Structure formats: structure tokens, C-alpha cells
Amino acid sequence: MGIEEQIYIMIYSTIFLGGVMSTFIISMIFIHRQRQAQNRQKMEQLKAEYEKTMLDIENEIQHETLSHIGRELHDNIGQLLSLAKLNFNSSRPEKKTEGQSILNQVIQEVRALSKTLNLDWVEETSLEDFILQQLKKIESTGFCTTTIDRVEHNLHLPKDHKLVLIRVVQEVLNNAIKHASPTKIDVTISSDEEGKYILIQDDGKGFDVSTASTGSGMSNLKKRMQTIGGQFQITSQINQGTEIRLSLPN
């Protein structure tokens, strides 16, 4: 083979390798851009799911708040106003004074209810105090005893995280009351190197997690925790109670 042929072969080989390399680089650029587009689409989808979750939670809490206000207006304030009317219709001076006292009580009750018409209370109330209020409500009914162990006393959270946790805790406690028939509910609020967590335990009926976890209720709670970067973990056995761990990273 002559020198000229060798030169031609080297030139053609270089051109061929250059073409292969160009094709490879173009393919990698195309794949990279495609992945970027997929990632953007995924991020937009996650953002949309997050916004929908937050909207659903706000609507649910507002619905419950309005239901609570309706009951308070009918059962509490309505009765107080009727009682005040009876006192004012009396000719006895002490009854009129008592009627004025009742009206002052009504004003205080209405002011308290007005604060719950929006979600400003979420920022004003700590998560610990909210959980304590929920447990007191349960215990006041005589349904079961409750305890709260606040190892972490300064669980500072953004409003959206707190809102999600409030709704999830409400749902977990409601499930325990409706399905578990416990004699005791224990709540622990704490934190460690990995993050913050809320542990909710009951000594009720328990259930088979492998069958219950496929239900929409548990799945919905898990998704809600995921929207704020958290986890929903459940451990339960029939006749051995249930333990639910809600965790958030630091």
C-alpha cells in the first residue's frame, strides 16, 4: 500500500470518527434536553399537585370551621340570646342585670367565633397547642383517656406545613375514634438528628396494614405528607393497637 493510499485511509477514518463523535454528541445533547423537559414537566406536575393538596386542605378545614360555627350559633349562642331575652322581659332589676351579663358573654363568644372564619389562627396557634385542644375535646366526651408528651416544645413550622399536619392529625384521631375503639390515645411530639416527628398511638382494635394500606384514606394521608417532604408510617396488628408516625426532615 502506497503512502497516498495510507493518507487517504487516515483522512477517511478521521472523517468517519468525527462523524461518529458528532452524532454521539448531538444525541447526548438531544437526550439531555429531553430529560430537562421531562424534569420541568415533572416539577410542574408536583407543583400542581401540591397546590391542589393545599387548596383541598384549606377547603376541608374551612368546611369544618363553618360546621362548628353553625353548631355554636344554634346550640350555644342561640340559647344564650333566648336566655337574655327572658331576663330582659322580666320586671325584676336583678334579671335585667343578669341579661346584660349574658349579652356580654354572647359578644365574647361571637368574637371568638369570628377568629375561626379564616385561617389566621393557623399562624397564631402552635401545632402542640392544637393537638392538645383536640385531645382535650376527645377526653371531654368520655370516649377515652389521652396523653401528650412534648419532648420538642418549639416545633416551628411554615404555615403550609403546619396546615397539612393539622389536617393529617385530625384525620388520624378521627380514624382512631371511629374504627379503633381505644381506651387510650398517646401523642408524642419530638425531634432528633434526622428531623421532627409526631407519634400517635392507640390501644384499640388494630388492623391488618397490608390490606388497609391500599385504601384511599391511608393513601391520601401518605400523599399529603409527601407534598411537604414528610413521611407517613403506620404500624398495626389486630387487637394490638396502632402506631402512626408523621415525620418531617430538618
Side-chain angles (χ1 to χ4, degrees), residues 49 52-54 56-57 60 164 167-168 171-172 175 212-228 230-232 246:
E49 289 178 358
K52 181 180 182 301
T53 297
M54 294 306 303
D56 288 344
I57 290 172
E60 288 171 4
V164 170
R167 190 65 190 121
V168 172
E171 192 66 26
V172 170
N175 286 340
S213 61
T214 57
S216 59
M218 293 297 172
S219 176
N220 186 41
L221 294 177
K222 287 181 180 179
K223 286 180 180 178
R224 290 190 168 186
M225 289 301 298
Q226 288 171 358
T227 61
I228 57 173
Q231 289 185 334
F232 178 97
L246 311 175

Side-chain angles (χ1 to χ4, degrees), residues 191-215:
S191 63
D192 53 29
E193 315 82 49
E194 296 180 357
K196 313 172 185 71
Y197 68 87
I198 300 171
L199 198 65
I200 304 173
Q201 300 167 292
D202 70 65
D203 63 352
K205 296 177 181 178
F207 56 92
D208 184 352
V209 178
S210 63
T211 57
S213 61
T214 57

Side-chain angles (χ1 to χ4, degrees), residues 23-238:
T23 303
F24 175 76
I25 292 171
I26 292 171
S27 299
M28 291 301 295
I29 293 172
F30 176 77
I31 292 171
H32 177 69
R33 289 181 177 176
Q34 192 175 37
R35 286 178 179 173
Q36 281 186 323
Q38 290 173 347
N39 288 336
R40 281 196 298 269
Q41 186 178 6
K42 187 176 180 180
M43 290 299 295
E44 289 173 0
Q45 183 180 357
L46 289 173
K47 182 180 178 182
E49 289 178 358
Y50 171 79
E51 291 175 350
K52 181 180 182 301
T53 297
M54 294 306 303
L55 182 61
D56 288 344
I57 290 172
E58 289 187 2
N59 287 338
E60 288 171 4
I61 291 179
Q62 286 175 344
H63 175 74
E64 289 184 359
T65 299
L66 290 173
S67 297
H68 167 69
I69 289 173
R71 290 192 299 269
E72 285 293 307
L73 288 173
H74 181 269
D75 299 337
N76 184 22
I77 294 177
Q79 291 182 5
L80 288 173
L81 288 173
S82 297
L83 188 58
K85 181 180 178 181
L86 288 174
N87 281 280
F88 282 126
N89 286 336
S90 174
S91 58
R92 295 164 58 186
E94 64 270 19
K95 288 294 182 181
K96 294 185 184 297
T97 302
E98 187 176 341
Q100 290 175 346
S101 177
I102 293 172
L103 276 184
N104 288 332
Q105 185 180 347
V106 169
I107 292 171
Q108 292 176 356
E109 294 283 348
V110 170
R111 284 175 177 171
L113 284 174
S114 68
K115 291 181 180 180
T116 63
L117 284 172
N118 53 49
L119 293 178
D120 290 344
W121 60 268
V122 174
E123 293 182 346
E124 297 170 359
T125 303
S126 69
L127 184 64
E128 299 93 320
D129 288 341
F130 172 80
I131 294 174
L132 184 59
Q133 291 170 8
Q134 296 297 303
L135 294 179
K136 283 183 177 178
K137 286 180 183 179
I138 294 172
E139 195 157 332
S140 67
T141 64
F143 182 82
C144 69
T145 61
T146 65
T147 65
I148 182 168
D149 184 10
R150 288 179 280 187
V151 180
E152 172 60 69
H153 291 276
N154 296 304
L155 200 62
H156 298 298
L157 296 167
K159 179 183 176 181
D160 53 350
H161 287 194
K162 192 193 299 183
L163 197 60
V164 170
L165 283 171
I166 281 174
R167 190 65 190 121
V168 172
V169 168
Q170 279 183 321
E171 192 66 26
V172 170
L173 293 176
N174 286 338
N175 286 340
I177 294 170
K178 290 178 183 178
H179 308 297
S181 300
T183 61
K184 187 178 181 181
I185 297 176
D186 300 318
V187 177
T188 301
I189 304 172
S190 189
S191 63
D192 53 29
E193 315 82 49
E194 296 180 357
K196 313 172 185 71
Y197 68 87
I198 300 171
L199 198 65
I200 304 173
Q201 300 167 292
D202 70 65
D203 63 352
K205 296 177 181 178
F207 56 92
D208 184 352
V209 178
S210 63
T211 57
S213 61
T214 57
S216 59
M218 293 297 172
S219 176
N220 186 41
L221 294 177
K222 287 181 180 179
K223 286 180 180 178
R224 290 190 168 186
M225 289 301 298
Q226 288 171 358
T227 61
I228 57 173
Q231 289 185 334
F232 178 97
Q233 298 168 303
I234 182 166
T235 304
S236 184
Q237 292 183 16
I238 295 174

